[in-house]
Amino acid sequence: MTRVEKTDLRREAGQRTRDGLQAAALELLAQRGQDGLTLREITERAGANVAAVSYHFGSLKALCDSAIEHALERYLDAQIQAIDSLGSAPTLQEVAAAFAGPMVRALAAGGQDLAVMRTVARVGIDPPEGWERLTGKFVQSRRDVLRVLTPHIPGVDEQELNFRTRCAAGLLNWLALAPIGAELAAMSAEQIERQLVPVVAGAFRGDTGGGSPSTS
């Protein structure tokens, strides 16, 4: 084996260790947040030694920050992609489905996908330091949603639409953490979407009750 091949193998092994530590941190953060989280818990779950955390991340806090940023970035990328994939004139139901899509898929899939969403939900309530690193993606996501929502809700200004969008996002975050999320996780993605999309569409419209969901 050449020196280059040995170097490549060490680099791949190092990346696997780093990814494993980040995945383990993400799972534990999703379960209970950062309170009481220890290096030993993370390294035991990842099958790594404590020194690996210092080598790859520098500290427990840096590892948690990296896992949180990874979760947020995955969520924002998925939501931006879903909104961008809509046609030129999507219905309000289609906008709601795209907005809720990452959560629907995570609830149905479970595992790492749901851990990402639970982490996003927790930090949405208590934003970590360094949140501003993803400001550009938050702005893009909000702008994209408002762009496709505005034609469906005439007479409502941007500030109000932004408030409704944040309320809809809060609803999705709550589902990731609340017992009802476990109930939904027992369903297929299609069943979850059928129940959830009208609720999200109603939040966008500002419904106060009554009537059936509009498909316009």
Side-chain angles (χ1 to χ4, degrees), residues 9-170:
L9 287 175
R10 284 196 297 270
R11 186 179 296 115
E12 290 173 6
Q15 188 62 50
R16 284 196 299 271
T17 299
R18 180 184 175 86
D19 291 346
L21 287 167
Q22 187 167 267
L26 184 59
E27 291 172 6
L28 291 167
L29 285 166
Q31 291 173 13
R32 65 173 188 270
Q34 295 188 56
D35 292 343
L37 193 60
T38 67
L39 275 177
R40 188 162 300 280
E41 284 181 294
I42 294 173
T43 53
E44 285 180 354
R45 181 166 296 211
N49 57 56
V50 174
V53 174
S54 296
Y55 178 79
H56 289 286
F57 296 95
S59 67
L60 172 61
K61 182 181 183 303
L63 169 56
C64 290
D65 287 348
S66 176
I68 290 169
E69 185 171 344
H70 173 70
L72 287 170
E73 193 160 22
R74 278 183 60 179
Y75 171 72
L76 289 170
D77 283 344
Q79 196 166 72
I80 289 169
Q81 183 178 0
I83 295 296
D84 286 347
S85 67
L86 292 170
S88 58
T91 67
L92 184 58
Q93 295 291 102
E94 289 171 338
V95 175
F99 186 82
M103 181 61 73
V104 169
R105 291 190 292 273
L107 286 168
Q112 186 80 352
D113 290 342
L114 187 53
V116 166
M117 289 302 168
R118 284 178 173 159
T119 302
V120 168
R122 288 185 184 281
V123 300
I125 297 169
D126 184 18
E129 294 180 10
W131 179 277
E132 64 276 4
R133 289 195 296 269
L134 294 172
T135 295
K137 286 194 175 183
F138 277 105
V139 171
Q140 180 183 349
S141 176
R142 190 176 302 120
R143 184 177 61 242
D144 288 350
V145 173
L146 293 181
R147 171 178 53 79
V148 294
L149 271 181
T150 300
H152 296 287
I153 313 175
V156 178
D157 62 27
E158 182 175 318
Q159 183 178 1
E160 175 65 20
L161 277 181
N162 184 47
F163 174 75
R164 294 182 188 182
T165 299
R166 293 175 70 181
C167 287

